[in-house]
Amino acid sequence: MSYEPKRFDFSIPVRVNLSSDTQTKPSRGMKEAMMVAEVGDEQMGSDPTVWELCDRTAALLGKEAAVFLPSGTMCNQVAIATHCRPGEEILAHESSHILSSEGGGAAAIAGALILGLKGERGQFTADTLEEAIRPVSRYSPTQRLVEVEQTANRGGGACWSVEALHAVTRTAHAHGLSTHMDGARLMNAAVALGVPATDLTEGCDSVWLDFTKGLAAPLGAVLAGSRDFIGHAWRWKQRLGGSMRQGGMCAAACIYALEHNIDRLAEDHANAKVLARGMAQIREITVEMPETNLVFFDTEGTGMTADAFAGKLRQEGVLVSTSGKYRGRACLHLDVTAAQVNEALSVMKQVVNAA
Ligand SMILES: *Cc1c(COP(=O)(O)O)cnc(C)c1O
């Protein structure tokens, strides 16, 4: 048993990479911005480009301050450790990334436990949250934090509406709980809903933005909150080894992404709809209609598991990912064109017909 990733089979050329929106490669313009970035020593506070990225992201998210971290996972872990003490409880959707995909980090690092809430498309209602509030007693864990994921990844890339968010964050605050948003795809939601990001982050005490998903930077994520919160988050950044040196090179890529790659997310959403409609025409496949850039589908009708289907597509140079026996995911992003969507669709038809 090894946790090391399997080495990619580089011998089969990739024609269309729908496996994740993390698959984007830095563009020439982005690399040029990185090359000319003014840099310093990030952990000493002397990298001007990192400061600029933090200030601009804090403003975009409507928060007082922000901190640059290597990844979204580290943003979640630093935020959780800053909010929670050992033995305290986080309430989050049962399909949330912090519960399923961060190696048990909340327990291992902060000593916090996570209570998984149920709900459609990766979201839960204020009523569900209310029902999960424990009476204060010597017996129960102290509840500390409510977490929401925007967009809800395993919920099909679904957007939390402004109203649904406000209802949940209001309920959390009424019970003295803090609120945290995993904003891995927050800008996809803002673009899809046609609202400023601040409308979506208003009720969240902490929120982060991933620059390596649809925004297409090579690394980096920014966690934002009150000045006091970010001041304490820095201690966990240091502890976890997330303090950087000439981080400005990477921050420059993120600033480039803020300037060039937000509005264009609408193209990914349009491509996702075309892909979903095309896949829905393959009778054997069931498709969840996308709200943003993620297209989830079910392969049971093809007689193939999602892994078998993905394996056959892989042979033809089309990459998708799987997240269940019959559940698969195709992600649209900057490096997938409308023409490549059609190319992927014809390969999918061919693979299903041959099965
Ligand atoms: C990708 C992702 C993360 C983790 O971000 P990384 O930058 O890959 O560490 C967290 N939450 C959600 C919902 C994600 O999709």
Side-chain angles (χ1 to χ4, degrees), residues 245-321:
R245 300 300 185 189
Q246 286 69 42
M249 291 204 67
C250 297
C254 300
I255 292 171
Y256 182 91
L258 287 177
E259 290 174 353
H260 297 87
N261 294 348
I262 293 179
D263 293 342
R264 65 148 308 284
L265 291 170
E267 292 170 36
D268 300 340
H269 301 167
N271 283 338
K273 288 200 170 64
V274 173
L275 179 70
R277 284 196 208 107
M279 289 182 76
Q281 279 171 11
I282 308 175
R283 245 180 328 107
E284 296 85 348
I285 298 180
T286 313
V287 184
E288 296 171 31
M289 277 303 148
E291 292 178 36
T292 54
N293 68 323
L294 309 181
V295 180
F296 281 82
F297 55 88
D298 186 292
T299 62
E300 191 163 8
T302 66
M304 287 181 277
T305 61
D307 278 339
F309 179 60
K312 294 229 164 85
L313 293 179
R314 174 72 187 102
Q315 291 303 313
E316 304 301 322
V318 174
L319 271 56
V320 297
S321 64

Side-chain angles (χ1 to χ4, degrees), residues 210-249:
D210 210 331
F211 285 90
T212 65
K213 300 278 166 77
L215 298 184
L219 69 84
V222 173
L223 172 66
S226 69
R227 190 154 294 287
D228 182 60
F229 177 84
I230 295 302
H232 284 92
W234 259 96
R235 180 128 166 104
W236 280 101
K237 170 179 160 90
Q238 188 65 34
R239 268 189 192 142
L240 298 179
S243 292
M244 290 174 255
R245 300 300 185 189
Q246 286 69 42
M249 291 204 67

Side-chain angles (χ1 to χ4, degrees), residues 69 72-92 96-100 102 104-114 144-148 178-182 206-208 223 229 232-233 236 239-240:
L69 292 163
T73 301
M74 201 183 283
C75 286
N76 273 337
Q77 294 308 321
V78 164
I80 287 170
T82 306
H83 284 294
C84 302
R85 303 281 79 79
E88 292 184 339
E89 188 172 61
I90 303 161
L91 298 97
S96 61
H97 197 277
I98 56 167
L99 197 44
S100 69
E102 301 189 10
I109 298 166
L113 27 69
I114 305 174
R144 178 62 59 212
L145 184 66
V146 174
E147 192 249 14
V148 295
S178 297
T179 52
H180 172 69
M181 178 182 280
D182 170 338
S206 54
V207 51
W208 60 270
L223 172 66
F229 177 84
H232 284 92
W236 280 101
R239 268 189 192 142
L240 298 179

